[in-house]
Amino acid sequence: MIRSYLANRYQRTKINKSSSTWERVNHSVPQGSVLGPLLFLIYINDFPLAINKLLFADDTSIIISNANPEEFMNSTTLVLNEITKWYQSNLLSLNCNKTTFLQFATTKNREIVFQITAVNSIISSVNSTKFLGLMVDSTLSWSDQIVSLTSKLNKACYAIRMV
């Protein structure tokens, strides 16, 4: 039954009025399907074991902590290599355009300047990112979250006033 759900599927891309040809889908689960999240979780079930970390839904956040800059860089490289190996052995690829690196710094422990590369691409370093709906920045202040929330509240207040 699951095989018939996943096999013999085709897709094409439409941009404006132009369409590509129909192509067979060899690896995938239908987007928006009820079984999609379950099948995805079954597929990646051993990923946390490969890197000894936790996952949340389809997002992976890896925390590496070390005060020694050299050990920190080595740990980061090691974890990224393990991730790359797991992806390759499971016929997946890391989307480096959606992968970011956020380094937390304090006044005591300054930011370590180095570049992370994976699959011949540079992983972007960011000062803040959205994590489970909250904006988290490199100093763990709430300033980016407050700016984001203020903007949303201003729009909501304007919409209410217009009614």
Side-chain angles (χ1 to χ4, degrees):
M1 173 123 165
I2 288 184
R3 177 167 285 160
S4 66
Y5 175 71
L6 298 174
N8 298 319
R9 293 185 314 110
Y10 291 82
Q11 71 180 21
R12 69 179 173 174
T13 303
K14 280 182 98 172
I15 300 174
N16 297 326
K17 293 181 181 183
S18 178
S19 297
S20 66
T21 59
W22 286 97
E23 297 288 333
R24 186 183 185 107
V25 178
N26 295 321
H27 308 283
S28 177
V29 174
Q31 288 270 298
S33 66
V34 175
L35 283 178
L38 175 64
L39 293 172
F40 174 78
L41 290 173
I42 291 168
Y43 190 75
I44 66 159
N45 186 46
D46 64 332
F47 182 65
L49 301 174
I51 59 169
N52 195 22
K53 304 293 176 194
L54 298 173
L55 303 177
F56 180 80
D58 62 346
D59 287 334
T60 305
S61 296
I62 300 166
I63 298 174
I64 300 169
S65 176
N66 199 313
N68 180 313
E70 190 172 311
E71 289 178 19
F72 175 75
M73 290 187 293
N74 288 340
S75 294
T76 303
T77 302
L78 180 67
V79 168
L80 204 51
N81 287 340
E82 291 300 317
I83 289 170
T84 303
K85 275 194 260 182
W86 186 89
Y87 269 62
Q88 288 171 344
S89 67
N90 286 278
L91 304 174
L92 296 171
S93 59
L94 180 65
N95 186 342
C96 292
N97 294 327
K98 289 186 173 183
T99 303
T100 58
F101 169 70
L102 174 63
Q103 189 176 163
F104 298 107
T106 63
T107 52
K108 183 180 175 185
N109 294 321
R110 296 284 179 198
E111 181 180 338
I112 300 168
V113 179
F114 75 108
Q115 217 172 40
I116 300 175
T117 58
V119 199
N120 299 323
S121 296
I122 296 172
I123 305 295
S124 300
S125 180
V126 295
N127 291 321
S128 66
T129 189
K130 200 168 218 174
F131 180 71
L132 300 178
L134 295 174
M135 290 300 295
V136 179
D137 66 24
S138 60
T139 61
L140 294 177
S141 73
W142 289 102
S143 58
D144 288 347
Q145 176 65 22
I146 291 168
V147 168
S148 174
L149 192 55
T150 302
S151 173
K152 289 178 185 176
L153 290 172
N154 282 338
K155 290 175 186 173
C157 288
Y158 179 77
I160 291 170
R161 281 194 306 254
M162 290 293 119
V163 176

